[in-house]
Amino acid sequence: MAAFSLQTSSSSSSSSSGIARLSFETRIPGSNLGADPKSVYFPCQPRVLPLKHQCNSQSKSRGGVVMAVAVSGNDQSQVEVDVSLSPRVNSVKPSKTVAITDQATALVQAGVPVIRLAAGEPDFDTPSVIAEAGINAIREGFTRYTPNAGTLELRQAICHKLKEENGITYTPDQIVVSNGAKQSIVQAVLAVCSPGDEVIIPAPFWVSYPEMARMADATPVILPTSISNDFLLDPKLLESKLTEKSRLLILCSPSNPTGSVYPKSLLQEIAKIVAKHPRLLVISDEIYEHIIYAPATHTSFASLPGMWERTLTINGFSKAFAMTGWRLGYIAGPKHFVTACGKLQSQFTSGASSISQKAGVAALGLGYAGGEAVATMVKAFRERRDFLVKSFGELSGVRISEPRGAFYLFIDFSAYYGMEAKGFGKIENSESLCRYLLDKGQVALVPGDAFGDDTCIRISYAASLPTLQAAVERIKKALVELKPSVGV
């Protein structure tokens, strides 16, 4: 039996990007593939491969090159395959929260007792009523494709929720259900942004917002906020940065990563500024709306005078209903924009899981703001928040803006920058501090530079109180070992 062999060469004679060799030779299927773990064999029938040299200097300069070699007797010809990636992909940064979460998970699986406080994922199980609805959907055979925009049943339930809880009115054809709120947001950005448009993003921001703008060939314009102002956007700064290229303003309240909640009065000021710019639309990310701590209250931006026509409201089921793995979110807005989002979705993924949509209907049937099931989780989140605020408030030099929603603390640890740890080195910034806390304290956190503010670190308190108590103890112990840097 003949076979193709794809081999990656690491010898010094190879190009810096590495060369994969595709050779044609005889192998017995199922036999030992040899000692080289980089070789992969594909059984096939013998044939002549008319490969021609097709590479040029331009393809080499654009990225890595794979060399395919066809071997037939003593004759051999080569073709170099351009394996460069698109500029759009190269412009996008990987999610640091995902990377750190994956790293911490790998350490735990390897037996390292890491406390993971990086992921934005509730530690509660999905409420049983919701889970049973999903199980029943499987048992009853509700396992086929649904309409691209979502089942009518779920879209009607979403319309009812938005009217009763948020004071905004939509019809089912103004709703598109997606595989998570993240998909809803990226589709909205792609649907309304043209190359060269500007996407206005207050910092600290969710890590994906700027990258979504770049995927649409738009330019993210970052507007800084301050911890002394609870990380809330200054309307005067917003007004000074808007131009004819401004296409989108992204607001997230309650906020990831800060937990800040925009009061209605501030949103009204922002709305007056938005109204002066005909091209400016608003994405209102309200995924954390139910995880909010009194006396703070949630206001949907689309409910403000004149804002319905230019607001794309994003929400979902992951956070409030502890349904992260169910992958279910939605967008609500003017039909013209939502239809465009649906068009994109029809070519990306089509409709969301039929099973998850049945569970979503059950979730919205729990009562106002998720009923007792969500209220119980929010009560636990608040207790955890209070514990962490008190515990970290005892540290000298640490600055905290008390969160009014979500389940994150965004703490200013910059007082520790410039210090050194024996065997580790100097703490230069939020990333090196997080690496130190993972190495020394075995606690996984997310550096603030991922969110646009290098002075801070994000701590997720979507973990049990005993877990948080252990994490605080480890963090404090590690910080005590930091000493002022000694100049040379």
Side-chain angles (χ1 to χ4, degrees):
M1 175 68 74
F4 285 122
S5 171
L6 182 62
Q7 299 176 302
T8 302
S9 172
S10 58
S11 66
S12 58
S13 61
S14 303
S15 67
S16 60
S17 60
I19 294 179
R21 295 184 59 84
L22 182 65
S23 61
F24 185 71
E25 54 189 292
T26 302
R27 283 254 172 192
I28 300 174
S31 65
N32 192 325
L33 298 184
D36 185 359
K38 298 178 182 178
S39 297
V40 181
Y41 290 86
F42 306 93
C44 69
Q45 295 299 321
R47 60 176 295 186
V48 177
L49 300 180
L51 298 177
K52 296 181 180 180
H53 186 79
Q54 296 180 349
C55 79
N56 54 45
S57 59
Q58 181 181 6
S59 67
K60 288 183 180 180
S61 65
R62 288 170 56 200
V65 175
V66 170
M67 178 178 289
V69 182
V71 182
S72 179
N74 295 324
D75 295 330
Q76 171 173 303
S77 60
Q78 298 178 349
V79 60
E80 291 186 350
V81 180
D82 183 353
V83 296
S84 59
L85 301 176
S86 76
R88 178 175 288 108
V89 171
N90 286 331
S91 72
V92 175
K93 301 174 185 176
S95 169
K96 192 167 286 189
T97 54
V98 172
I100 292 171
T101 300
D102 289 347
Q103 180 185 5
T105 300
L107 288 171
V108 170
Q109 292 173 344
V112 181
V114 172
I115 296 177
R116 292 170 285 181
L117 303 181
E121 179 173 43
D123 57 311
F124 300 101
D125 291 333
T126 301
S128 59
V129 172
I130 301 173
E132 285 298 323
I135 294 169
N136 289 336
I138 297 172
R139 288 174 174 161
E140 295 169 6
F142 193 74
T143 55
R144 299 185 182 277
Y145 292 135
T146 71
N148 177 62
T151 64
L152 180 59
E153 179 186 28
L154 178 55
R155 284 181 287 136
Q156 287 175 332
I158 291 170
C159 289
H160 177 77
K161 171 257 184 294
L162 291 172
K163 183 176 181 180
E164 294 298 315
E165 296 182 3
N166 305 86
I168 40 182
T169 301
Y170 297 96
T171 54
D173 60 355
Q174 294 169 327
I175 308 290
V176 169
V177 177
S178 301
N179 298 276
K182 179 180 281 189
Q183 182 179 3
S184 299
I185 297 171
V186 74
Q187 287 175 174
V189 175
L190 291 171
V192 304
C193 286
S194 300
D197 280 347
E198 294 177 345
V199 179
I200 313 300
I201 305 171
F205 47 73
W206 180 44
V207 295
S208 295
Y209 292 150
E211 309 314 315
M212 290 174 175
R214 294 186 179 101
M215 280 192 272
D217 292 328
T219 302
V221 177
I222 308 303
L223 304 187
T225 64
S226 67
I227 192 170
S228 59
N229 194 36
D230 293 328
F231 298 112
L232 298 172
L233 177 62
D234 181 352
K236 293 180 180 178
L237 176 62
L238 171 64
E239 191 163 26
S240 71
K241 296 297 183 180
L242 293 177
T243 71
E244 67 279 359
K245 293 182 179 180
S246 303
R247 181 57 171 159
L248 269 178
L249 167 64
I250 300 182
L251 296 174
C252 181
S253 179
S255 165
N256 173 10
T258 67
S260 300
V261 174
Y262 278 77
K264 185 174 183 178
S265 58
L266 179 54
L267 291 177
Q268 288 171 332
E269 288 186 61
I270 293 172
K272 290 178 182 178
I273 296 170
V274 170
K276 299 175 184 177
H277 297 265
R279 289 197 72 233
L280 187 59
L281 305 176
V282 177
I283 286 180
S284 183
D285 184 350
E286 303 180 8
I287 190 69
Y288 294 95
E289 66 161 330
H290 291 325
I291 305 175
I292 199 164
Y293 313 119
T297 57
H298 174 72
T299 299
S300 287
F301 197 79
S303 69
L304 301 176
M307 291 299 106
W308 187 95
E309 294 78 8
R310 60 169 83 214
T311 301
L312 303 171
T313 300
I314 306 292
N315 213 320
F317 298 81
S318 293
K319 310 301 182 179
F321 298 104
M323 293 176 65
T324 50
W326 296 79
R327 308 311 305 131
L328 196 64
Y330 59 88
I331 184 171
K335 185 177 179 180
H336 172 69
F337 297 124
V338 171
T339 299
C341 295
K343 184 193 298 184
L344 286 171
Q345 180 162 299
S346 72
Q347 299 296 355
F348 283 169
T349 62
S350 298
S353 161
S354 58
I355 300 158
S356 297
Q357 291 187 63
K358 279 292 188 181
V361 172
L364 295 180
L366 289 176
Y368 190 91
E372 184 179 352
V374 172
T376 300
M377 289 187 274
V378 172
K379 180 182 178 182
F381 284 135
R382 181 166 192 154
E383 292 173 351
R384 299 167 184 182
R385 179 205 65 172
D386 293 345
F387 165 73
L388 291 179
V389 168
K390 180 179 182 298
S391 298
F392 286 114
E394 297 169 353
L395 293 174
S396 177
V398 169
R399 301 176 67 200
I400 301 174
S401 171
E402 183 173 283
R404 291 170 172 77
F407 39 70
Y408 308 107
L409 270 179
F410 203 62
I411 304 179
D412 184 343
F413 278 103
S414 60
Y416 291 90
Y417 298 175
M419 292 189 173
E420 291 184 348
K422 185 178 180 180
F424 180 86
K426 193 174 183 179
I427 303 299
E428 301 281 0
N429 47 36
S430 62
E431 184 167 353
S432 59
L433 181 56
C434 282
R435 282 192 288 106
Y436 170 70
L437 292 174
L438 180 59
D439 179 60
K440 185 67 177 178
Q442 296 182 339
V443 180
L445 309 170
V446 186
D449 67 342
F451 307 99
D453 188 339
D454 195 35
T455 65
C456 296
I457 286 177
R458 192 190 79 171
I459 300 175
S460 168
Y461 49 90
S464 69
L465 193 56
T467 298
L468 295 174
Q469 291 168 339
V472 168
E473 184 177 343
R474 292 186 187 186
I475 292 171
K476 286 185 174 182
K477 185 177 180 180
L479 292 176
V480 166
E481 297 187 25
L482 292 175
K483 305 299 180 184
S485 177
V486 179
V488 178

